[in-house]
mmCIF file with all atom_site columns, all heavy atoms in Angstrom:
data_model
loop_
_atom_site.group_PDB
_atom_site.id
_atom_site.type_symbol
_atom_site.label_atom_id
_atom_site.label_alt_id
_atom_site.label_comp_id
_atom_site.label_asym_id
_atom_site.label_entity_id
_atom_site.label_seq_id
_atom_site.pdbx_PDB_ins_code
_atom_site.Cartn_x
_atom_site.Cartn_y
_atom_site.Cartn_z
_atom_site.occupancy
_atom_site.B_iso_or_equiv
_atom_site.pdbx_formal_charge
_atom_site.auth_seq_id
_atom_site.auth_comp_id
_atom_site.auth_asym_id
_atom_site.auth_atom_id
_atom_site.pdbx_PDB_model_num
ATOM 1   N N   . PRO A 1 1  ? 23.778  9.526   5.319   1.00 0.00 ? 1405 PRO A N   1
ATOM 2   C CA  . PRO A 1 1  ? 22.670  8.901   6.069   1.00 0.00 ? 1405 PRO A CA  1
ATOM 3   C C   . PRO A 1 1  ? 21.457  9.833   6.035   1.00 0.00 ? 1405 PRO A C   1
ATOM 4   O O   . PRO A 1 1  ? 21.562  11.043  5.988   1.00 0.00 ? 1405 PRO A O   1
ATOM 5   C CB  . PRO A 1 1  ? 23.236  8.755   7.468   1.00 0.00 ? 1405 PRO A CB  1
ATOM 6   C CG  . PRO A 1 1  ? 24.249  9.859   7.602   1.00 0.00 ? 1405 PRO A CG  1
ATOM 7   C CD  . PRO A 1 1  ? 24.779  10.063  6.208   1.00 0.00 ? 1405 PRO A CD  1
ATOM 8   N N   . GLU A 1 2  ? 20.253  9.213   6.117   1.00 0.00 ? 1406 GLU A N   1
ATOM 9   C CA  . GLU A 1 2  ? 19.014  9.933   6.116   1.00 0.00 ? 1406 GLU A CA  1
ATOM 10  C C   . GLU A 1 2  ? 18.045  9.327   7.100   1.00 0.00 ? 1406 GLU A C   1
ATOM 11  O O   . GLU A 1 2  ? 18.126  8.175   7.427   1.00 0.00 ? 1406 GLU A O   1
ATOM 12  C CB  . GLU A 1 2  ? 18.392  9.910   4.703   1.00 0.00 ? 1406 GLU A CB  1
ATOM 13  C CG  . GLU A 1 2  ? 19.271  10.471  3.587   1.00 0.00 ? 1406 GLU A CG  1
ATOM 14  C CD  . GLU A 1 2  ? 18.715  10.269  2.217   1.00 0.00 ? 1406 GLU A CD  1
ATOM 15  O OE1 . GLU A 1 2  ? 17.620  9.645   2.080   1.00 0.00 ? 1406 GLU A OE1 1
ATOM 16  O OE2 . GLU A 1 2  ? 19.333  10.708  1.241   1.00 0.00 ? 1406 GLU A OE2 1
ATOM 17  N N   . LEU A 1 3  ? 17.097  10.156  7.536   1.00 0.00 ? 1407 LEU A N   1
ATOM 18  C CA  . LEU A 1 3  ? 15.977  9.720   8.377   1.00 0.00 ? 1407 LEU A CA  1
ATOM 19  C C   . LEU A 1 3  ? 14.718  10.257  7.779   1.00 0.00 ? 1407 LEU A C   1
ATOM 20  O O   . LEU A 1 3  ? 14.521  11.458  7.709   1.00 0.00 ? 1407 LEU A O   1
ATOM 21  C CB  . LEU A 1 3  ? 16.167  10.225  9.839   1.00 0.00 ? 1407 LEU A CB  1
ATOM 22  C CG  . LEU A 1 3  ? 15.110  9.802   10.841  1.00 0.00 ? 1407 LEU A CG  1
ATOM 23  C CD1 . LEU A 1 3  ? 15.138  8.290   10.984  1.00 0.00 ? 1407 LEU A CD1 1
ATOM 24  C CD2 . LEU A 1 3  ? 15.319  10.476  12.166  1.00 0.00 ? 1407 LEU A CD2 1
ATOM 25  N N   . LEU A 1 4  ? 13.815  9.299   7.322   1.00 0.00 ? 1408 LEU A N   1
ATOM 26  C CA  . LEU A 1 4  ? 12.658  9.708   6.568   1.00 0.00 ? 1408 LEU A CA  1
ATOM 27  C C   . LEU A 1 4  ? 11.374  9.049   7.078   1.00 0.00 ? 1408 LEU A C   1
ATOM 28  O O   . LEU A 1 4  ? 11.357  7.850   7.436   1.00 0.00 ? 1408 LEU A O   1
ATOM 29  C CB  . LEU A 1 4  ? 12.835  9.331   5.100   1.00 0.00 ? 1408 LEU A CB  1
ATOM 30  C CG  . LEU A 1 4  ? 14.077  9.853   4.361   1.00 0.00 ? 1408 LEU A CG  1
ATOM 31  C CD1 . LEU A 1 4  ? 14.222  9.172   3.020   1.00 0.00 ? 1408 LEU A CD1 1
ATOM 32  C CD2 . LEU A 1 4  ? 14.035  11.344  4.217   1.00 0.00 ? 1408 LEU A CD2 1
ATOM 33  N N   . TYR A 1 5  ? 10.303  9.832   7.132   1.00 0.00 ? 1409 TYR A N   1
ATOM 34  C CA  . TYR A 1 5  ? 8.945   9.232   7.294   1.00 0.00 ? 1409 TYR A CA  1
ATOM 35  C C   . TYR A 1 5  ? 8.406   9.018   5.897   1.00 0.00 ? 1409 TYR A C   1
ATOM 36  O O   . TYR A 1 5  ? 8.356   9.918   5.116   1.00 0.00 ? 1409 TYR A O   1
ATOM 37  C CB  . TYR A 1 5  ? 8.082   10.214  8.098   1.00 0.00 ? 1409 TYR A CB  1
ATOM 38  C CG  . TYR A 1 5  ? 6.687   9.677   8.304   1.00 0.00 ? 1409 TYR A CG  1
ATOM 39  C CD1 . TYR A 1 5  ? 6.446   8.739   9.329   1.00 0.00 ? 1409 TYR A CD1 1
ATOM 40  C CD2 . TYR A 1 5  ? 5.640   10.058  7.502   1.00 0.00 ? 1409 TYR A CD2 1
ATOM 41  C CE1 . TYR A 1 5  ? 5.179   8.269   9.536   1.00 0.00 ? 1409 TYR A CE1 1
ATOM 42  C CE2 . TYR A 1 5  ? 4.355   9.570   7.702   1.00 0.00 ? 1409 TYR A CE2 1
ATOM 43  C CZ  . TYR A 1 5  ? 4.130   8.669   8.745   1.00 0.00 ? 1409 TYR A CZ  1
ATOM 44  O OH  . TYR A 1 5  ? 2.877   8.145   8.941   1.00 0.00 ? 1409 TYR A OH  1
ATOM 45  N N   . SER A 1 6  ? 7.979   7.770   5.635   1.00 0.00 ? 1410 SER A N   1
ATOM 46  C CA  . SER A 1 6  ? 7.666   7.395   4.267   1.00 0.00 ? 1410 SER A CA  1
ATOM 47  C C   . SER A 1 6  ? 6.322   6.697   4.205   1.00 0.00 ? 1410 SER A C   1
ATOM 48  O O   . SER A 1 6  ? 5.937   5.944   5.051   1.00 0.00 ? 1410 SER A O   1
ATOM 49  C CB  . SER A 1 6  ? 8.757   6.460   3.737   1.00 0.00 ? 1410 SER A CB  1
ATOM 50  O OG  . SER A 1 6  ? 8.481   6.041   2.410   1.00 0.00 ? 1410 SER A OG  1
ATOM 51  N N   . THR A 1 7  ? 5.573   6.988   3.123   1.00 0.00 ? 1411 THR A N   1
ATOM 52  C CA  . THR A 1 7  ? 4.300   6.314   2.853   1.00 0.00 ? 1411 THR A CA  1
ATOM 53  C C   . THR A 1 7  ? 4.398   5.629   1.495   1.00 0.00 ? 1411 THR A C   1
ATOM 54  O O   . THR A 1 7  ? 5.052   6.109   0.574   1.00 0.00 ? 1411 THR A O   1
ATOM 55  C CB  . THR A 1 7  ? 3.101   7.266   2.845   1.00 0.00 ? 1411 THR A CB  1
ATOM 56  O OG1 . THR A 1 7  ? 3.194   8.177   1.763   1.00 0.00 ? 1411 THR A OG1 1
ATOM 57  C CG2 . THR A 1 7  ? 3.036   8.040   4.153   1.00 0.00 ? 1411 THR A CG2 1
ATOM 58  N N   . SER A 1 8  ? 3.735   4.477   1.359   1.00 0.00 ? 1412 SER A N   1
ATOM 59  C CA  . SER A 1 8  ? 3.673   3.783   0.094   1.00 0.00 ? 1412 SER A CA  1
ATOM 60  C C   . SER A 1 8  ? 2.461   2.900   0.085   1.00 0.00 ? 1412 SER A C   1
ATOM 61  O O   . SER A 1 8  ? 1.764   2.782   1.109   1.00 0.00 ? 1412 SER A O   1
ATOM 62  C CB  . SER A 1 8  ? 4.968   2.942   -0.113  1.00 0.00 ? 1412 SER A CB  1
ATOM 63  O OG  . SER A 1 8  ? 5.061   1.974   0.873   1.00 0.00 ? 1412 SER A OG  1
ATOM 64  N N   . GLY A 1 9  ? 2.194   2.254   -1.029  1.00 0.00 ? 1413 GLY A N   1
ATOM 65  C CA  . GLY A 1 9  ? 1.056   1.355   -1.095  1.00 0.00 ? 1413 GLY A CA  1
ATOM 66  C C   . GLY A 1 9  ? 0.688   0.958   -2.505  1.00 0.00 ? 1413 GLY A C   1
ATOM 67  O O   . GLY A 1 9  ? 1.400   1.276   -3.446  1.00 0.00 ? 1413 GLY A O   1
ATOM 68  N N   . VAL A 1 10 ? -0.422  0.263   -2.637  1.00 0.00 ? 1414 VAL A N   1
ATOM 69  C CA  . VAL A 1 10 ? -0.873  -0.266  -3.936  1.00 0.00 ? 1414 VAL A CA  1
ATOM 70  C C   . VAL A 1 10 ? -2.392  -0.444  -3.908  1.00 0.00 ? 1414 VAL A C   1
ATOM 71  O O   . VAL A 1 10 ? -2.982  -0.692  -2.857  1.00 0.00 ? 1414 VAL A O   1
ATOM 72  C CB  . VAL A 1 10 ? -0.149  -1.606  -4.246  1.00 0.00 ? 1414 VAL A CB  1
ATOM 73  C CG1 . VAL A 1 10 ? -0.567  -2.687  -3.266  1.00 0.00 ? 1414 VAL A CG1 1
ATOM 74  C CG2 . VAL A 1 10 ? -0.378  -2.022  -5.679  1.00 0.00 ? 1414 VAL A CG2 1
ATOM 75  N N   . ASN A 1 11 ? -2.971  -0.276  -5.059  1.00 0.00 ? 1415 ASN A N   1
ATOM 76  C CA  . ASN A 1 11 ? -4.392  -0.562  -5.275  1.00 0.00 ? 1415 ASN A CA  1
ATOM 77  C C   . ASN A 1 11 ? -4.518  -1.747  -6.190  1.00 0.00 ? 1415 ASN A C   1
ATOM 78  O O   . ASN A 1 11 ? -3.849  -1.789  -7.267  1.00 0.00 ? 1415 ASN A O   1
ATOM 79  C CB  . ASN A 1 11 ? -5.110  0.642   -5.895  1.00 0.00 ? 1415 ASN A CB  1
ATOM 80  C CG  . ASN A 1 11 ? -5.242  1.807   -4.964  1.00 0.00 ? 1415 ASN A CG  1
ATOM 81  O OD1 . ASN A 1 11 ? -5.582  1.622   -3.760  1.00 0.00 ? 1415 ASN A OD1 1
ATOM 82  N ND2 . ASN A 1 11 ? -4.967  3.007   -5.406  1.00 0.00 ? 1415 ASN A ND2 1
ATOM 83  N N   . PHE A 1 12 ? -5.362  -2.750  -5.815  1.00 0.00 ? 1416 PHE A N   1
ATOM 84  C CA  . PHE A 1 12 ? -5.639  -3.864  -6.664  1.00 0.00 ? 1416 PHE A CA  1
ATOM 85  C C   . PHE A 1 12 ? -7.028  -3.806  -7.228  1.00 0.00 ? 1416 PHE A C   1
ATOM 86  O O   . PHE A 1 12 ? -7.955  -3.360  -6.529  1.00 0.00 ? 1416 PHE A O   1
ATOM 87  C CB  . PHE A 1 12 ? -5.476  -5.189  -5.876  1.00 0.00 ? 1416 PHE A CB  1
ATOM 88  C CG  . PHE A 1 12 ? -4.094  -5.521  -5.507  1.00 0.00 ? 1416 PHE A CG  1
ATOM 89  C CD1 . PHE A 1 12 ? -3.668  -5.390  -4.157  1.00 0.00 ? 1416 PHE A CD1 1
ATOM 90  C CD2 . PHE A 1 12 ? -3.159  -5.918  -6.440  1.00 0.00 ? 1416 PHE A CD2 1
ATOM 91  C CE1 . PHE A 1 12 ? -2.354  -5.695  -3.828  1.00 0.00 ? 1416 PHE A CE1 1
ATOM 92  C CE2 . PHE A 1 12 ? -1.854  -6.216  -6.090  1.00 0.00 ? 1416 PHE A CE2 1
ATOM 93  C CZ  . PHE A 1 12 ? -1.447  -6.112  -4.774  1.00 0.00 ? 1416 PHE A CZ  1
ATOM 94  N N   . SER A 1 13 ? -7.205  -4.264  -8.451  1.00 0.00 ? 1417 SER A N   1
ATOM 95  C CA  . SER A 1 13 ? -8.563  -4.332  -9.079  1.00 0.00 ? 1417 SER A CA  1
ATOM 96  C C   . SER A 1 13 ? -8.837  -5.769  -9.462  1.00 0.00 ? 1417 SER A C   1
ATOM 97  O O   . SER A 1 13 ? -7.936  -6.581  -9.599  1.00 0.00 ? 1417 SER A O   1
ATOM 98  C CB  . SER A 1 13 ? -8.642  -3.397  -10.254 1.00 0.00 ? 1417 SER A CB  1
ATOM 99  O OG  . SER A 1 13 ? -7.642  -3.688  -11.206 1.00 0.00 ? 1417 SER A OG  1
ATOM 100 N N   . ASN A 1 14 ? -10.119 -6.068  -9.647  1.00 0.00 ? 1418 ASN A N   1
ATOM 101 C CA  . ASN A 1 14 ? -10.570 -7.406  -10.004 1.00 0.00 ? 1418 ASN A CA  1
ATOM 102 C C   . ASN A 1 14 ? -10.288 -8.445  -8.935  1.00 0.00 ? 1418 ASN A C   1
ATOM 103 O O   . ASN A 1 14 ? -9.981  -9.607  -9.215  1.00 0.00 ? 1418 ASN A O   1
ATOM 104 C CB  . ASN A 1 14 ? -9.991  -7.885  -11.358 1.00 0.00 ? 1418 ASN A CB  1
ATOM 105 C CG  . ASN A 1 14 ? -10.334 -6.932  -12.491 1.00 0.00 ? 1418 ASN A CG  1
ATOM 106 O OD1 . ASN A 1 14 ? -11.444 -6.412  -12.544 1.00 0.00 ? 1418 ASN A OD1 1
ATOM 107 N ND2 . ASN A 1 14 ? -9.385  -6.737  -13.389 1.00 0.00 ? 1418 ASN A ND2 1
ATOM 108 N N   . VAL A 1 15 ? -10.319 -8.018  -7.664  1.00 0.00 ? 1419 VAL A N   1
ATOM 109 C CA  . VAL A 1 15 ? -10.036 -8.948  -6.593  1.00 0.00 ? 1419 VAL A CA  1
ATOM 110 C C   . VAL A 1 15 ? -11.365 -9.584  -6.062  1.00 0.00 ? 1419 VAL A C   1
ATOM 111 O O   . VAL A 1 15 ? -12.386 -8.916  -6.093  1.00 0.00 ? 1419 VAL A O   1
ATOM 112 C CB  . VAL A 1 15 ? -9.298  -8.295  -5.434  1.00 0.00 ? 1419 VAL A CB  1
ATOM 113 C CG1 . VAL A 1 15 ? -7.917  -7.834  -5.877  1.00 0.00 ? 1419 VAL A CG1 1
ATOM 114 C CG2 . VAL A 1 15 ? -10.067 -7.136  -4.852  1.00 0.00 ? 1419 VAL A CG2 1
ATOM 115 N N   . PRO A 1 16 ? -11.306 -10.796 -5.586  1.00 0.00 ? 1420 PRO A N   1
ATOM 116 C CA  . PRO A 1 16 ? -12.514 -11.413 -5.019  1.00 0.00 ? 1420 PRO A CA  1
ATOM 117 C C   . PRO A 1 16 ? -12.940 -10.687 -3.737  1.00 0.00 ? 1420 PRO A C   1
ATOM 118 O O   . PRO A 1 16 ? -12.132 -10.006 -3.093  1.00 0.00 ? 1420 PRO A O   1
ATOM 119 C CB  . PRO A 1 16 ? -12.084 -12.826 -4.672  1.00 0.00 ? 1420 PRO A CB  1
ATOM 120 C CG  . PRO A 1 16 ? -10.839 -13.062 -5.499  1.00 0.00 ? 1420 PRO A CG  1
ATOM 121 C CD  . PRO A 1 16 ? -10.199 -11.720 -5.644  1.00 0.00 ? 1420 PRO A CD  1
ATOM 122 N N   . VAL A 1 17 ? -14.200 -10.804 -3.401  1.00 0.00 ? 1421 VAL A N   1
ATOM 123 C CA  . VAL A 1 17 ? -14.687 -10.187 -2.169  1.00 0.00 ? 1421 VAL A CA  1
ATOM 124 C C   . VAL A 1 17 ? -13.944 -10.786 -0.963  1.00 0.00 ? 1421 VAL A C   1
ATOM 125 O O   . VAL A 1 17 ? -13.729 -11.978 -0.858  1.00 0.00 ? 1421 VAL A O   1
ATOM 126 C CB  . VAL A 1 17 ? -16.210 -10.431 -2.013  1.00 0.00 ? 1421 VAL A CB  1
ATOM 127 C CG1 . VAL A 1 17 ? -16.707 -9.956  -0.640  1.00 0.00 ? 1421 VAL A CG1 1
ATOM 128 C CG2 . VAL A 1 17 ? -16.969 -9.784  -3.123  1.00 0.00 ? 1421 VAL A CG2 1
ATOM 129 N N   . GLY A 1 18 ? -13.460 -9.887  -0.130  1.00 0.00 ? 1422 GLY A N   1
ATOM 130 C CA  . GLY A 1 18 ? -12.710 -10.309 1.051   1.00 0.00 ? 1422 GLY A CA  1
ATOM 131 C C   . GLY A 1 18 ? -11.219 -10.372 0.870   1.00 0.00 ? 1422 GLY A C   1
ATOM 132 O O   . GLY A 1 18 ? -10.510 -10.594 1.795   1.00 0.00 ? 1422 GLY A O   1
ATOM 133 N N   . SER A 1 19 ? -10.730 -10.121 -0.365  1.00 0.00 ? 1423 SER A N   1
ATOM 134 C CA  . SER A 1 19 ? -9.305  -10.100 -0.635  1.00 0.00 ? 1423 SER A CA  1
ATOM 135 C C   . SER A 1 19 ? -8.794  -8.650  -0.540  1.00 0.00 ? 1423 SER A C   1
ATOM 136 O O   . SER A 1 19 ? -9.549  -7.688  -0.696  1.00 0.00 ? 1423 SER A O   1
ATOM 137 C CB  . SER A 1 19 ? -8.990  -10.659 -2.040  1.00 0.00 ? 1423 SER A CB  1
ATOM 138 O OG  . SER A 1 19 ? -9.304  -11.995 -2.124  1.00 0.00 ? 1423 SER A OG  1
ATOM 139 N N   . PRO A 1 20 ? -7.465  -8.466  -0.269  1.00 0.00 ? 1424 PRO A N   1
ATOM 140 C CA  . PRO A 1 20 ? -6.917  -7.123  -0.166  1.00 0.00 ? 1424 PRO A CA  1
ATOM 141 C C   . PRO A 1 20 ? -7.081  -6.344  -1.446  1.00 0.00 ? 1424 PRO A C   1
ATOM 142 O O   . PRO A 1 20 ? -6.776  -6.854  -2.543  1.00 0.00 ? 1424 PRO A O   1
ATOM 143 C CB  . PRO A 1 20 ? -5.416  -7.381  0.107   1.00 0.00 ? 1424 PRO A CB  1
ATOM 144 C CG  . PRO A 1 20 ? -5.377  -8.780  0.657   1.00 0.00 ? 1424 PRO A CG  1
ATOM 145 C CD  . PRO A 1 20 ? -6.453  -9.540  0.002   1.00 0.00 ? 1424 PRO A CD  1
ATOM 146 N N   . SER A 1 21 ? -7.614  -5.130  -1.369  1.00 0.00 ? 1425 SER A N   1
ATOM 147 C CA  . SER A 1 21 ? -7.784  -4.315  -2.545  1.00 0.00 ? 1425 SER A CA  1
ATOM 148 C C   . SER A 1 21 ? -7.089  -2.960  -2.461  1.00 0.00 ? 1425 SER A C   1
ATOM 149 O O   . SER A 1 21 ? -6.802  -2.332  -3.460  1.00 0.00 ? 1425 SER A O   1
ATOM 150 C CB  . SER A 1 21 ? -9.280  -4.043  -2.782  1.00 0.00 ? 1425 SER A CB  1
ATOM 151 O OG  . SER A 1 21 ? -9.864  -3.404  -1.672  1.00 0.00 ? 1425 SER A OG  1
ATOM 152 N N   . ASN A 1 22 ? -6.776  -2.510  -1.245  1.00 0.00 ? 1426 ASN A N   1
ATOM 153 C CA  . ASN A 1 22 ? -6.120  -1.252  -1.070  1.00 0.00 ? 1426 ASN A CA  1
ATOM 154 C C   . ASN A 1 22 ? -5.175  -1.339  0.130   1.00 0.00 ? 1426 ASN A C   1
ATOM 155 O O   . ASN A 1 22 ? -5.629  -1.617  1.240   1.00 0.00 ? 1426 ASN A O   1
ATOM 156 C CB  . ASN A 1 22 ? -7.159  -0.110  -0.817  1.00 0.00 ? 1426 ASN A CB  1
ATOM 157 C CG  . ASN A 1 22 ? -6.530  1.253   -0.800  1.00 0.00 ? 1426 ASN A CG  1
ATOM 158 O OD1 . ASN A 1 22 ? -5.358  1.414   -0.560  1.00 0.00 ? 1426 ASN A OD1 1
ATOM 159 N ND2 . ASN A 1 22 ? -7.345  2.279   -0.996  1.00 0.00 ? 1426 ASN A ND2 1
ATOM 160 N N   . ILE A 1 23 ? -3.875  -1.140  -0.095  1.00 0.00 ? 1427 ILE A N   1
ATOM 161 C CA  . ILE A 1 23 ? -2.887  -1.288  0.994   1.00 0.00 ? 1427 ILE A CA  1
ATOM 162 C C   . ILE A 1 23 ? -2.117  0.020   1.120   1.00 0.00 ? 1427 ILE A C   1
ATOM 163 O O   . ILE A 1 23 ? -1.601  0.551   0.104   1.00 0.00 ? 1427 ILE A O   1
ATOM 164 C CB  . ILE A 1 23 ? -1.897  -2.449  0.705   1.00 0.00 ? 1427 ILE A CB  1
ATOM 165 C CG1 . ILE A 1 23 ? -2.649  -3.764  0.618   1.00 0.00 ? 1427 ILE A CG1 1
ATOM 166 C CG2 . ILE A 1 23 ? -0.827  -2.504  1.805   1.00 0.00 ? 1427 ILE A CG2 1
ATOM 167 C CD1 . ILE A 1 23 ? -1.790  -4.938  0.179   1.00 0.00 ? 1427 ILE A CD1 1
ATOM 168 N N   . SER A 1 24 ? -2.031  0.520   2.334   1.00 0.00 ? 1428 SER A N   1
ATOM 169 C CA  . SER A 1 24 ? -1.257  1.762   2.613   1.00 0.00 ? 1428 SER A CA  1
ATOM 170 C C   . SER A 1 24 ? -0.312  1.466   3.761   1.00 0.00 ? 1428 SER A C   1
ATOM 171 O O   . SER A 1 24 ? -0.715  0.941   4.792   1.00 0.00 ? 1428 SER A O   1
ATOM 172 C CB  . SER A 1 24 ? -2.147  2.960   2.959   1.00 0.00 ? 1428 SER A CB  1
ATOM 173 O OG  . SER A 1 24 ? -2.991  3.301   1.902   1.00 0.00 ? 1428 SER A OG  1
ATOM 174 N N   . LEU A 1 25 ? 0.980   1.795   3.558   1.00 0.00 ? 1429 LEU A N   1
ATOM 175 C CA  . LEU A 1 25 ? 1.991   1.520   4.553   1.00 0.00 ? 1429 LEU A CA  1
ATOM 176 C C   . LEU A 1 25 ? 2.675   2.836   4.978   1.00 0.00 ? 1429 LEU A C   1
ATOM 177 O O   . LEU A 1 25 ? 2.970   3.667   4.104   1.00 0.00 ? 1429 LEU A O   1
ATOM 178 C CB  . LEU A 1 25 ? 3.047   0.545   4.072   1.00 0.00 ? 1429 LEU A CB  1
ATOM 179 C CG  . LEU A 1 25 ? 2.538   -0.813  3.551   1.00 0.00 ? 1429 LEU A CG  1
ATOM 180 C CD1 . LEU A 1 25 ? 3.667   -1.622  2.997   1.00 0.00 ? 1429 LEU A CD1 1
ATOM 181 C CD2 . LEU A 1 25 ? 1.846   -1.557  4.674   1.00 0.00 ? 1429 LEU A CD2 1
#
């Protein structure tokens, strides 16, 4: 078993104005 603090995410390109472009979790 493990206990971890974790970060992840994604960058999108060519998205319309007002759409998600950078997500960090």
Side-chain angles (χ1 to χ4, degrees):
E1406 301 173 358
L1407 182 63
L1408 306 169
Y1409 180 81
S1410 179
T1411 66
S1412 62
V1414 66
N1415 290 316
F1416 290 108
S1417 57
N1418 301 323
V1419 295
V1421 174
S1423 294
S1425 59
N1426 187 339
I1427 299 173
S1428 297
L1429 303 176

